[in-house]
Amino acid sequence: MFIDIPNELEAALIDLPLPTWALDGSFLTKATRERYRTKLTATPRFEETAATLWQALNGEGGGYAVLRLGNLAKALGADDRFLRLATGFAAEVALPFSPFPRWPLWKDIGVKVDKDPGKSSGIGYNAFHMDLVNGTLPPDYTTLLCVRPDPLGGGPSILSDAHAAVARLSQDSRALLAEPAYHYGSFFNLFGVGEEYKPFPILDGSAPGEGFVRFTAKMLQRSELRQAHADAARELAEELVRGQVSFMLQPGDYLIVNQRRFLHGREALRSGQETVPVADRRLLLQLFLRARAGDDSTA
C-alpha cells in the first residue's frame, strides 16, 4: 500500500508548474481538474502511478494507500506548488472538496496541547473512526498529507479493515449495529455531506463487505446508548484494534483512505509536546474526496 514515485516522474513533477486551483462552491472546478490532468498525463509514468494508486484504494483487498511524495516535498517545500501536485494526484481518485466553508481546500491539523487529547489535533490516542460519520453523505475518501511528523517520535497512523472486523462479529451484534440507534457529534455549517443523520445505523444495510461502516469509537464515551447497542459497538471497536495496521507517516507521505472500506485513527503523540515549539510540532493537511457520479470505485 506504499507507492513510490518513479525517478523520471519525480524529476518531471519538480519542474511542472500547475495553475492555481479554482473552486465551485467547495469543490475543485471541472476546468481545474482538466488542466491538471492534461499537464500531469504528459509527464512520464504518471498514468501508471495513478493507476497503481487507484488499484490500491479500490481493488480487491485494498482500501488505503500512502503515496510517497517526500522527495517532491523536499525539493519544493510544503508550499502551493507542492499542494497543487498533491491535489492533482487526489483528483485522479475522486473530486476534491472541503466540507467546511470556513476552511480552505486543505485543512491544517496541527497539535494543540490544551485540546481534547482524543481529537485529531490533540496529543492523545485518536481512536478508530470515519470522518463526518453523522452526515447522510460522508466523504468517500479522507486524505492526510504529512508536512511534519511528531519530532518526539509518536503518533503513528492506524488503519483497520472495517468490513473484515464486522465479519468477525456475532450475528446478534451485527443485527444491533444495523439498527438506527447511534449518534455522535454536532452538525452545522457543513457543505457537500448531505443532511444530519441522527440516529444512524453503524451498518447501512448494504451487502456484506459493502457500504459505509458508520463508526467512531468516540461515541462510546460521548453518546448515550442503550447497553446492548453500546456493547455491540464496543465489540466492533475491539475487532478493529485486533486487525489494525500502523505506520509512521514521513514528510511528504500522502495517506488516502477509502472510507467505505477502512477506518483510521492515530496512536498518541509522545509526552513532552509542550516543550516543542508550535512551528516544529506535528502537522498534517487534510483533504476530502467525493466519488464521481457513476464511479464504481466504492462498489
Side-chain angles (χ1 to χ4, degrees):
M1 300 303 176
F2 289 81
I3 301 172
D4 292 312
I5 306 299
N7 292 338
E8 55 268 48
L9 177 55
E10 280 186 342
L13 293 178
I14 287 172
D15 296 324
L16 185 70
L18 292 179
T20 301
W21 61 66
L23 300 180
D24 180 6
S26 288
F27 281 85
L28 197 69
T29 64
K30 181 179 180 181
T32 298
R33 300 197 312 270
E34 289 177 345
R35 283 196 292 270
Y36 282 12
R37 185 154 220 283
T38 297
K39 287 183 171 290
L40 288 168
T41 54
T43 59
R45 302 187 65 182
F46 174 79
E47 289 183 289
E48 170 193 331
T49 305
T52 300
L53 174 61
W54 177 269
Q55 184 65 24
L57 293 168
N58 303 299
E60 184 175 355
Y64 74 91
V66 178
L67 199 59
R68 315 301 301 256
L69 303 178
N71 290 338
L72 292 172
K74 188 179 297 185
L76 300 174
D79 61 8
D80 289 346
R81 284 188 61 200
F82 177 62
L83 287 183
R84 289 170 199 160
L85 291 174
T87 303
F89 276 105
E92 290 296 300
V93 174
L95 307 179
F97 80 106
S98 170
F100 310 109
R102 64 187 182 277
W103 290 95
L105 186 62
W106 290 85
K107 175 187 175 185
D108 287 9
I109 301 179
V111 174
K112 299 177 182 178
V113 296
D114 56 350
K115 187 99 171 183
D116 179 341
K119 294 287 190 180
S120 58
S121 57
I123 62 175
Y125 175 64
N126 189 11
F128 280 113
H129 63 280
M130 67 172 289
D131 289 327
L132 284 301
V133 66
N134 58 337
T136 53
L137 294 172
D140 295 293
Y141 303 85
T142 185
T143 83
L144 294 166
L145 180 62
C146 180
V147 177
R148 287 188 304 272
D150 176 7
L152 301 181
S157 297
I158 54 174
L159 293 107
S160 192
D161 184 329
H163 293 289
V166 168
R168 295 192 293 269
L169 300 177
S170 67
Q171 184 174 351
D172 287 346
S173 291
R174 291 198 297 270
L176 287 164
L177 296 175
E179 295 178 4
Y182 298 89
H183 54 94
Y184 173 76
S186 57
F187 192 94
F188 63 95
N189 199 23
L190 297 175
F191 180 92
V193 292
E195 305 298 325
E196 183 174 15
Y197 199 179
K198 180 183 180 181
F200 55 82
I202 290 177
L203 305 182
D204 65 5
S206 300
E210 298 181 2
F212 288 112
V213 176
R214 291 178 175 271
F215 180 80
T216 172
K218 298 181 182 73
M219 64 189 173
L220 294 171
Q221 288 79 36
R222 303 176 189 175
S223 300
E224 293 183 4
L225 303 172
R226 285 185 52 218
Q227 190 63 48
H229 292 104
D231 288 345
R234 192 168 289 108
E235 185 182 352
L236 174 55
E238 292 170 356
E239 289 300 329
L240 288 165
V241 173
R242 191 191 315 275
Q244 80 176 34
V245 296
S246 66
F247 47 82
M248 189 72 74
L249 293 175
Q250 301 301 321
D253 280 352
Y254 188 24
L255 169 64
I256 304 178
V257 182
N258 184 336
Q259 291 215 114
R260 291 180 182 265
R261 299 190 179 192
F262 272 72
L263 300 178
H264 68 286
R266 187 208 66 228
E267 298 284 3
L269 303 181
R270 286 280 175 84
S271 60
Q273 294 297 315
E274 66 280 356
T275 68
V276 180
V278 172
D280 295 334
R281 292 175 185 168
R282 183 179 191 263
L283 176 62
L284 303 181
L285 302 179
Q286 186 169 43
L287 174 69
F288 297 97
L289 307 177
R290 167 73 62 217
R292 290 176 281 264
D295 194 337
D296 63 358
S297 65
T298 56

